[in-house]
């Protein structure tokens, strides 16, 4: 489904970060966008950006962990904007903490939003796309879907689960000879607001592990994948040594390496206020909150372009892998 065939798109987690950047790009293409997220302030600001670009926007407050809310949102989109051509699952929440310092209810909540939110979104999308036998679903994944790292057990577990779920469903769609397309886009470390609003029990402020990319890099890849949904997955930025070498060549060695370096590389030198508000249970851009926008606080270190994303999009996966590995090794050594 080329972009000229996409008239109505749904983006979850649309109020900030990668979702917000994706919404902006879709709006510039003249696509009507339904924005799904929990925070009213961020949703309204994102919707205004769509309208300023000349597009139609439908902001809907929805908790992706609640199946009924997601189903209702899908029905509302079909009624108010028209048939859904593209559904992008992107919403997530998580906890920065060692597993044993993550409370059971927090782990469950992160899983409900990040993993089951994708399941609910996919189910809602298919309920409209399958009868028409057309449409595209894009799952926004992560390099951490293939290699877990310390201090992010809830997030890594959910992203791994999304891969297994998506692969199983893709086989079923192929078996049914369905024309509904399903693909994944795996992201590297990104400069989004998540490091300022996720629940953290780390002694210092959380940070992304270099190489870091701006959210707009991810947005271009996500929309590009929607234009060419036949591929199983696309990589954005360097998947790093973690995914290319680590699991395929020396997973045990990588475990020990991450045990030594994975704590330091995910924290800045500055302290964190453990009493600060976080978005695990309630949005920080809800009533009384403020709009967090697209980018986080690491723009001075973030890349605005990714040669590997271009290579992956043009099916030069082997070259992309080599470049990604080299970039990852260099970044880890410098850090």
């Amino acid at each position: 489904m080329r972009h000229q065939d996409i008239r109505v798109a749904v983006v979850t987690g649309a109020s900030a970060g990668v979702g917000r950047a994706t919404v902006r790009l879709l709006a510039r293409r003249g696509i009507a966008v339904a924005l799904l997220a929990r925070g009213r302030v961020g949703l309204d600001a994102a919707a205004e950006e769509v309208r300023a670009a000349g597009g139609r926007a439908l902001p809907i407050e929805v908790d992706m962990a609640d199946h009924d809310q997601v189903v209702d949102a899908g029905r509302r989109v079909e009624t108010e904007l028209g048939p859904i051509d593209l559904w992008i699952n992107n919403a997530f929440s998580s906890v920065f903490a060692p597993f044993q310092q993550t409370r059971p209810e927090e782990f469950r909540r992160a899983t409900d939003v990040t993993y089951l939110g994708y399941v609910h979104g996919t189910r809602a999308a298919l309920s409209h796309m399958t009868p028409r036998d057309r449409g595209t679903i894009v799952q926004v994944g992560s390099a951490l879907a293939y290699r877990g790292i310390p201090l992010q057990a809830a997030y890594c577990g959910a992203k791994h689960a999304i891969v297994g779920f998506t692969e199983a469903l893709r086989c079923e769609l192929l078996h049914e000879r369905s024309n509904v397309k399903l693909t994944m886009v795996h992201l590297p470390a990104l400069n989004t607001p998540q490091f300022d609003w996720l629940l953290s029990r780390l002694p210092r402020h959380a940070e992304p592990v270099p190489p870091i990319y701006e959210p707009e890099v991810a947005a271009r890849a996500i929309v590009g994948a929607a234009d060419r949904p036949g591929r199983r997955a696309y990589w954005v930025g360097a998947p790093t040594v973690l995914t290319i070498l680590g699991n395929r060549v020396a997973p045990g060695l990588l475990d020990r390496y991450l045990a030594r370096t994975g704590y330091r590389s995910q924290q800045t030198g500055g302290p964190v206020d453990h009493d600060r508000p976080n978005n695990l249970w309630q949005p920080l851009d809800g009533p009384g909150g403020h709009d967090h926008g697209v980018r986080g606080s690491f723009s001075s270190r973030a890349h605005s372009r990714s040669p590997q994303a271009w290579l992956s999009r043009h099916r030069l996966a082997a070259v992309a892998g080599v470049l990604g590995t080299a970039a990852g090794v260099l970044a880890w050594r410098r850090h």
Side-chain angles (χ1 to χ4, degrees):
M1 179 176 287
R2 296 286 180 170
H3 74 265
Q4 59 263 35
D5 298 321
I6 301 173
R7 296 181 175 84
V8 176
V10 176
V11 180
T12 76
S15 61
V18 171
R20 179 80 164 265
T22 303
V23 164
R24 290 176 177 176
L25 185 54
L26 292 170
R28 288 200 294 269
R29 291 185 169 202
I31 297 169
V33 185
L35 305 90
L36 275 56
R38 294 177 298 163
R40 188 77 248 172
V41 175
L43 276 173
D44 287 343
E48 282 304 310
E49 292 177 348
V50 173
R51 296 179 185 117
R56 291 189 297 156
L58 178 61
I60 305 175
E61 289 183 65
V62 58
D63 185 339
M64 294 303 297
D66 188 318
H67 174 260
D68 291 340
Q69 288 188 31
V70 179
V71 170
D72 290 343
R75 290 172 179 161
R76 185 177 168 191
V77 174
E78 290 266 323
T79 299
E80 298 188 32
L81 292 183
I84 299 169
D85 301 304
L86 171 64
W87 186 295
I88 298 170
N89 282 312
N90 165 73
F92 82 96
S93 190
S94 192
V95 180
F96 287 118
F99 170 70
Q100 294 184 82
Q101 294 179 29
T102 306
R103 295 167 186 153
E105 64 272 19
E106 294 166 349
F107 202 100
R108 177 183 290 276
R109 172 62 177 170
T111 304
D112 285 348
V113 175
T114 308
Y115 171 50
L116 290 182
Y118 277 48
V119 174
H120 300 332
T122 302
R123 189 183 298 278
L126 288 174
S127 71
H128 299 288
M129 294 177 178
T130 300
R132 293 191 287 263
D133 197 30
R134 65 179 178 85
T136 298
I137 301 169
V138 177
Q139 316 284 44
V140 178
S142 170
L144 301 188
Y146 290 92
R147 172 64 234 190
I149 63 174
L151 308 179
Q152 296 201 51
Y155 181 82
C156 293
K159 288 298 184 179
H160 274 68
I162 291 167
V163 170
F165 160 67
T166 300
E167 289 176 346
L169 175 59
R170 192 169 190 272
C171 292
E172 293 175 8
L173 292 174
L174 289 170
H175 173 78
E176 296 164 3
R177 300 184 184 277
S178 173
N179 286 314
V180 176
K181 305 300 182 182
L182 178 65
T183 191
M184 296 197 74
V185 178
H186 293 299
L187 306 183
L190 295 166
N191 175 37
T192 70
Q194 65 171 296
F195 301 94
D196 297 318
W197 71 14
L198 290 183
L199 172 61
S200 177
R201 293 202 174 90
L202 304 181
R204 298 185 301 279
H205 196 284
E207 70 171 348
V209 179
I212 307 167
Y213 297 86
E214 295 289 16
E216 291 85 355
V217 174
R220 290 194 294 269
I222 291 166
V223 176
D227 289 343
R228 303 173 180 86
R231 294 274 300 280
R232 292 181 70 250
Y234 294 79
W235 288 94
V236 182
T240 75
V241 67
L242 299 182
T243 54
I244 293 181
L245 291 181
N247 283 354
R248 297 182 181 179
V249 179
L253 179 63
L254 182 56
D255 289 343
R256 290 189 287 274
Y257 176 76
L258 287 170
R260 293 196 308 270
T261 65
Y263 282 60
R264 174 179 52 82
S265 63
Q266 295 186 75
Q267 299 179 75
T268 69
V272 63
D273 177 9
H274 291 108
D275 295 323
R276 69 176 186 175
N278 65 79
N279 82 334
L280 184 61
W281 301 101
Q282 299 294 332
L284 293 189
D285 54 355
H290 69 275
D291 176 27
H292 289 260
V294 170
R295 296 184 176 183
S297 54
F298 300 95
S299 284
S300 63
R301 298 161 53 194
H303 303 285
S304 60
R305 297 285 175 184
S306 168
Q308 186 180 347
W310 186 91
L311 290 168
S312 179
R313 192 163 60 249
H314 290 81
R315 297 179 179 270
L316 299 175
V319 179
V322 171
L323 291 179
T325 300
V329 171
L330 290 173
W332 276 87
R333 285 179 175 175
R334 289 171 183 167
H335 200 69

